[in-house]
Amino acid sequence: MAASLLQSLVGLTLVLVALGIKQRFPTIQRAATATQPSSANCTELWFTQFTDHFSWNPSAPVPETYQQRVFTYDKYFGGDGSPIFFYAGNEGDVTLYTDHTGLMWENAKEFKALIIFAEHRFYGKSQFTPNATGPSTAEFPYLTHEQAMADYVNFLYSYKTSNSITNSPVIVFGGSYGGMLACWLRLKYPSTFLGAIAASAPVRAFPGMDPAYDWDTYWQVVTRDASSSVGASAACQDNVRNSWPIIFNTGSTQAGRDHLSSMFGLCKPLESNDDVWLLAMWLAVAFDTMAMGDFPYPSNYLTSGGPLLPTYPVTAACEELKQADLKGDALLTAMRAATAVYNNATQSLSCYDLPYDDIEQDGIWDWQYCTEMIPQETYFTLSGSKDMFWSQAFNQSFINNHCQHKYGITPRPTWIRQRYGNIEDTLKSASNIVFSNGLLDPWSSGGITYNVSDTVQAIILEHGAHHLDLMFSDPRDPPDVTFAREFHMNNIRQWLKQ
């Protein structure tokens, strides 16, 4: 969002409107638990899924089918005609979403809903090659959002048919990339999905959209999270902004790079200017990740189920930068301590390994950016003035060269624009979608933040971070987050009456 839009949104607490596979699935086993429900309460299914939904014969050595992992829970399911709450798995092990998406769990009883969490191909255990941790070179071309969406549609058709629940409507939930998938699933497969809850879904953050996405607005939101207006120390932003000239100037010589390596406790010394840039981006991504995970209680969602980040981690990091006008080594020491809130969340690392082989710092997600340009913030513009980072323009030529070098491919920048049209126009003819965006979440910059129609609605959470409204409820939740959850369910109630 542009600065003026960001300012207007900050003044809002809410945007509110009036309220062929012959597999028999096993009987679901119900497990009781005295704690928060999770994948441990579910039945784990392995569904024989097509590797390629858009041709009849995948190229060797790619197999014709693979085993897709799905979790289901039917304790409250009312049978044929009762709804299915379906989570569209995104770029992670599906248990991360099973164990955190409390909105589905907490409302299934009222709606007599069947809960389903489906894993995205090539993430988690849903691999073409058993026990692999990602696609092989031959398998990468089958990692597309279209193939993943077709997986979900194929699974649901087969599951509903096999279990004689063909009259059960499906509500799709998703956060982040999963939120984009939820939106696109409703647009492309409306006969399969009655409605979509698309949380923190940056469906505008693609080249070719009108109005054009401003690539720097993402990092402006990260910067706002480090401001006194949301509880961080007053000196934090300026100290972070002032650190980059020191890092880049010091890193211009080998002696300086050796000094930076020592100051930041790196396992492998910096050897080039490119390494210095990688150090800077690694530090920036720490703030970026903490901004997404700026939750009102400790959470391990942004560490993929690993160590807990503290309550409002950006504010916690900024405590290390609260002394005004830090300079030189004192500032670098404070930056190391601040970013360690995320980078050393385990508090057990003796030194840090920079992601030399993963400059985008997101693993196989880079393939999805290098093909369809599914958003990856490390490529976005940094202004150095509107944000607290350094000046670095969005550079399609750099991206093209990187993708050619790494994968031998060139991105298709406007593919999503061509695939779904200009999203703000396309949504005018859509229905039954709710978009939610938290203003602490940098991905809100690419989200739908206004009501498109009576049935395509938006809600803004002033105190919400990355799809916090999908998480389990907590006494520490801000009122706007609690309200958003009820807003979602009220919309679903209306959809189910159609």
Side-chain angles (χ1 to χ4, degrees), residues 49-54 62 64-69 89-92 118-128 134-135 139-152 154 177 181 364 368:
Q49 186 65 264
F50 294 116
T51 57
D52 188 355
H53 295 277
F54 307 113
V62 174
E64 292 189 8
T65 62
Y66 79 99
Q67 295 300 300
Q68 181 184 18
R69 184 167 59 154
N90 37 307
E91 73 282 21
E119 189 163 69
H120 193 297
R121 55 173 54 202
F122 295 118
Y123 293 99
K125 295 183 179 180
S126 297
Q127 303 290 334
F128 285 12
E139 295 167 351
F140 262 118
Y142 300 91
L143 174 53
T144 70
H145 85 278
E146 291 97 338
Q147 295 279 9
M149 288 166 54
D151 282 347
Y152 300 151
N154 185 42
Y177 172 43
L181 292 174
I364 65 172
Q368 295 194 254

Side-chain angles (χ1 to χ4, degrees), residues 6 216-230 232 236-238 240-241 287 291 314 318 382-383 385-389 442:
L6 176 60
D216 181 45
T217 52
Y218 182 96
W219 293 99
Q220 291 177 32
V221 180
V222 177
T223 300
R224 176 179 171 266
D225 284 5
S227 70
S228 58
S229 66
V230 295
C236 186
Q237 281 187 5
D238 285 341
V240 173
R241 185 179 290 110
F287 280 103
V314 176
C318 283
L382 303 167
S383 76
S385 56
K386 295 179 181 179
D387 59 49
M388 63 182 184
F389 300 97

